[in-house]
Structure formats: C-alpha cells, structure tokens
C-alpha cells in the first residue's frame, strides 16, 4: 500500500507540478529540495507511532524523489559538454545502480 501511494504521489508531482516548478525554480534548487524532502521523509518514518502516519513520511519521500530525479538529469545535461552527455548519463546510471546494490547491503549490516 505504501509503495502504491508513493507511486501515485510521484505521478501527480511529475505530471501536474514539475513543469510549473521547473519554470519557477532552478534545477539546482529543485535538486536540493528533492534531496531534503527525501531525507525528511525517510528519517521520519520510523518515528510515527501509528501505521497511518507512515503515509505522511512516504508522501514527503515520494514528493522529493519526483523532484530530484528529473531535476538532476536536467541540471547535469545543461552543465555537461554536449559531446560527453552519453558518458555523463551512463556514469550517473552506474552510480545509481551501485547505490541500489550497496545501500541494502550496508543498511542490512547496520541493522544487524
């Protein structure tokens, strides 16, 4: 239920809000706000005493994630040399994939 809720929030943000926010704020600002909201959402979830409140943290995380993903790609594409865009995006995807591998391994070890 939580993942479906997060996906719905991300869909709404990216379809209805992101274009307007991108016109009003810089890519760097959207990246910063996206990361801040993701962090607040993730950090807050373990402290909610009732399961229903977890959706508040999930909403913060999902809103931040929906801001961060497209904004980091836009920001990097504007700053990179046009001849090296493929290399830059490949490196970004590789780093993201490495995070998806190492994150759970490190998180599981810390949890134990």
């Amino acid at each position: 239920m939580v993942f479906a809720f997060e996906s719905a929030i991300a869909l709404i943000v990216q379809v209805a809000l992101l274009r307007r926010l991108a016109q009003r704020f810089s890519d760097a600002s959207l990246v910063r706000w996206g990361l801040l909201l993701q962090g607040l959402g993730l950090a807050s979830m373990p402290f909610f005493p009732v399961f229903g409140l977890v959706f508040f943290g999930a909403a913060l995380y999902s809103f931040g994630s929906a801001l961060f993903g497209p904004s980091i790609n836009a920001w990097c594409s504007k700053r990179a040399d046009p001849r090296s865009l493929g290399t830059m995006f490949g490196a970004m995807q590789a780093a993201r994939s490495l995070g998806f591998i190492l994150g759970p391994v490190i998180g599981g070890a810390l949890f134990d």
Side-chain angles (χ1 to χ4, degrees):
M1 288 176 44
V2 174
F3 293 138
F5 176 73
E6 287 179 348
S7 296
I9 295 289
L11 176 72
I12 291 166
V13 170
Q14 289 185 351
V15 169
L17 295 176
L18 190 58
R19 181 176 297 228
R20 285 184 240 160
L21 291 172
Q23 291 171 346
R24 188 166 184 192
F25 301 104
S26 70
D27 293 326
S29 178
L30 292 175
V31 166
R32 280 192 286 275
W33 277 102
L35 288 173
L36 177 68
L37 290 172
Q38 280 182 321
L40 289 173
L42 285 175
S44 67
M45 280 192 253
F47 299 104
F48 290 123
V50 180
F51 177 71
L53 291 176
V54 169
F55 285 92
F56 178 75
L60 285 176
Y61 172 78
S62 182
F63 194 97
S65 180
L67 285 180
F68 174 75
S71 300
I72 192 71
N73 288 335
W75 188 34
C76 289
S77 70
K78 292 174 186 172
R79 298 182 60 86
D81 178 14
R83 293 173 287 153
S84 63
L85 282 176
T87 303
M88 187 263 315
F89 281 119
M92 287 176 59
Q93 291 301 317
R96 183 177 178 184
S97 296
L98 186 62
F100 283 135
I101 294 167
L102 294 178
V105 170
I106 294 169
L110 291 173
F111 183 75
D112 282 343

